[in-house]
Amino acid sequence: MGRAGPWRSTGGRWSWRRGRGAALLAAAAAALLVRPGLLPDLPGRPGSLIEAFLPWLGLAVPPLAGWAVLRRSRTALCAAALPVLAWTAAFGAFLLPRAEQPADLRAVQHNVADDNTDPAGTALALARTGADLIAVEELTPAAAPAFTAALGADYPHYAAAGTVALWSRHPLADPRPVDIRPAGVGEGWNRGLRATARTPHGDIAVYVAHLPSVRVGPLHGFDAARRDESAVLLGRALAAEPMDRVVLLGDLNATVDDRGIAPVVRRTGRPARDFAFSWPAALPAARIDHVLARGAEVTLLRTLPPTGSDHLPVAARIRF
């Protein structure tokens, strides 16, 4: 009989000598789950791409374990436990039940999509959340009246800049655009907003931002240059913010694990330990819509039912 192929059972006894290649793959997956930054910024940005879908790296475990069983490899089977342990350390807490804590502020963030065919229904869905703050992106002039009609009564305080907008139950002071426009983008491009919300718990600097989209293609790989440039500008604005309490709501076109938006995350802190995948709405695989805070804690983050957008709304509870 010939030698067993790579996917053919060897039969007989289990061995420590077989499966070293699979063991190395398992160890690499475990290392990336714990320290995704170990993968350098190579051309095509594979590091950012892996970080964007980091929790899904755990899906490498079943084929690695199956290969180990098929090849009767003790080495590969033991190594397959490494990414299990790493995934549990990184994301296991996301699955644990938590007692609901009181919130000082409730916020909703939603990219409503500029091709939304039901802006009125989307606006009503946001109004029914009862949040204190509602931030939206990709708000077109055609859709704006529907949102004003649905939100105006309960959210009389409003600010907008370009295609981003903020509705609030509490007074908003000093609304102004925030320049996060990458080089080479026309002057009509405006996706940043800052206002002071005067809440019963004190004044809060509220930012709404929509970072540029990324592109994935065969020639340039994971192209996030404009998003990363915009993230640097937003990070600078947050660094210069004099107020102690800051809430950032926005579509950042990145997960918090993506090194591309590290300039933003460093200035706000990480959110609640929840998956809350918000995109794409049809089969959510990543949370690119965020509620981040400084001088406060985002204690709970969850997605809401789908609207007419390709994103899911994200609701957050915030404590000061």
Side-chain angles (χ1 to χ4, degrees):
M1 295 179 63
R3 295 181 62 189
W7 296 100
R8 187 183 305 165
S9 175
T10 59
R13 298 180 178 179
W14 285 71
S15 170
W16 287 104
R17 300 185 64 181
R18 290 189 293 267
R20 293 175 181 173
L24 287 175
L25 288 175
L32 288 175
L33 280 164
V34 176
R35 293 288 300 276
L38 292 173
L39 188 62
D41 268 329
L42 302 170
R45 302 290 300 279
S48 276
L49 183 59
I50 287 177
E51 288 160 348
F53 300 99
L54 192 61
W56 299 102
L57 198 58
L59 293 178
V61 173
L64 288 171
W67 192 94
V69 171
L70 193 66
R71 295 287 291 161
R72 301 291 194 272
S73 169
R74 289 190 177 97
T75 302
L77 189 61
C78 290
L82 295 176
V84 174
L85 295 173
W87 192 96
T88 302
F91 302 109
F94 290 29
L95 303 176
L96 298 176
R98 295 193 302 273
E100 189 169 299
Q101 301 181 40
D104 296 322
L105 193 75
R106 294 174 298 167
V108 167
Q109 144 63 27
H110 192 27
N111 180 327
V112 298
D114 55 11
D115 59 354
N116 192 324
T117 58
D118 185 22
T122 300
L124 286 171
L126 298 180
R128 286 194 290 266
T129 64
D132 298 286
L133 301 172
I134 296 177
V136 303
E137 298 80 43
E138 294 195 13
L139 182 66
T140 64
F147 280 82
T148 300
L151 298 171
D154 293 329
Y155 298 87
H157 309 287
Y158 166 77
T163 56
V164 301
L166 174 67
W167 278 269
S168 173
R169 292 185 182 274
H170 311 298
L172 296 176
D174 306 320
R176 63 177 184 265
V178 177
D179 187 5
I180 58 172
R181 179 166 51 97
V185 177
E187 292 185 2
W189 191 97
N190 195 338
R191 294 186 178 184
L193 167 69
R194 184 231 181 257
T196 299
R198 303 200 182 283
T199 78
H201 301 280
D203 289 357
I204 303 159
V206 182
Y207 285 75
V208 183
H210 184 193
L211 300 190
S213 300
V214 299
R215 298 288 183 267
V216 180
L219 295 179
H220 302 289
F222 191 77
D223 184 1
R226 284 186 170 177
R227 181 206 64 188
D228 294 353
E229 184 180 349
S230 192
V232 170
L233 296 173
L234 179 57
R236 289 175 183 170
L238 292 168
E241 172 58 54
M243 297 188 67
D244 294 330
R245 292 175 173 177
V246 179
V247 173
L248 167 64
L249 307 106
D251 173 4
L252 304 185
N253 271 303
T255 67
V256 290
D257 296 303
D258 191 325
R259 68 193 71 182
I261 66 163
V264 175
V265 177
R266 280 199 299 264
R267 301 297 179 180
T268 56
R270 298 183 69 84
R273 297 174 69 82
D274 295 285
F275 286 116
F277 296 147
S278 64
W279 180 88
L283 189 64
R287 182 181 357 114
I288 63 176
D289 297 274
H290 299 282
V291 179
L292 303 173
R294 183 174 79 206
E297 180 186 4
V298 180
T299 61
L300 178 68
L301 200 65
R302 62 187 177 92
T303 53
L304 302 176
T307 67
S309 171
D310 59 339
H311 292 241
L312 295 178
V314 172
R317 299 172 67 88
I318 302 168
R319 291 189 67 187
F320 298 118

